[in-house]
Amino acid sequence: MTKKCFIVTPIGEDGTEVRRSADGLIDSVIEPICKKLDLEMYVAHRIDTPGSITAQVLEHVLQDDLVIANLTNLNPNVMYELAVRHSVRLPVISLAEEGTALPFDISDERTIFYKNDMAGVKSLKQILEKMVNEAMNDKSPDNPVYRAAKSQVMRELKPDGDFESYIVERLDQFETMLSKSANRSKATSVTNASNLGMFFATFGSDNLSSKEIGDLIRRLEMDAHVLPVFQERNNSMAIPIQTSTQLSLIEKILIGSGKQFDTKFIEGSST
């Protein structure tokens, strides 16, 4: 049975630079590799089957044997579909044009960066074909959502190990954030005022218990209206900040925890 590969990509309107770049990457690199490896390729704007395109896209994202995600320009739809794919723990390959600044949540994940020129096409083909073969043979794909689901933090946040409900809930929150981000990008001065940056808190040797982490995350979500991401491997927390009020509330909540921590604020960063 022929295996399926779905391409998650920014699309843009016909004739735009976004569409030309996306189609060029698909036609010159991805499709030839899929044909060579006997993979049936699908792309959202080339699906001609009647019905809801959104439902069809999500079906491919959730069920196809492989997903290749083009993160260039950090398109909100692309980022959401990548998160959905991560939630089902199936093979996915991420690639982006050189110069793309990946969000904090996936900056540590393996990504192929390519040059958008003729020489870049040749180099990308070799690397991508190798990674496709590796991904198709990977029986236990790793990603940020799966790592989080394994952590003890999840067990404290949801009773009875109900990880599926937690993941669906977080994806809904993620979709809301992306929608707000897309709306803000249509404005100018409003965008600058509402996207302050990224706040980091590192707890160092003052280790937090799973219950303390869960309580702190819930407090930040409820009182400061933010979505913190806890990194267990370096005992730190990253929090996207949209308003100065959120920044003040976060600092107050962290100080109130009674824990020792170091902070860093990077202006203009975004998840």
Side-chain angles (χ1 to χ4, degrees), residues 44-56:
H45 62 288
R46 300 181 184 181
I47 295 176
D48 54 10
T49 305
S52 167
I53 185 64
T54 300
Q56 292 178 44

Side-chain angles (χ1 to χ4, degrees), residues 238-253:
I239 310 171
I241 306 297
Q242 297 173 342
T243 68
S244 56
T245 301
Q246 286 180 326
L247 185 58
S248 299
L249 287 171
I250 289 168
E251 291 176 336
K252 183 178 179 179
I253 292 168

Side-chain angles (χ1 to χ4, degrees), residues 12 40 46 76 78 81 84 110 130 152 178 212 227 229:
E40 189 173 354
R46 300 181 184 181
V78 170
E81 289 163 21
V84 172
R110 188 176 182 183
K130 179 176 181 292
Q152 185 65 28
L178 288 175
E212 287 174 325
L227 293 177
V229 177

Side-chain angles (χ1 to χ4, degrees), residues 168-182:
V168 169
E169 182 178 292
R170 295 294 283 186
L171 283 174
D172 286 342
Q173 293 173 330
F174 184 42
E175 182 176 22
T176 300
M177 288 177 61
L178 288 175
S179 297
K180 291 179 179 178
S181 176

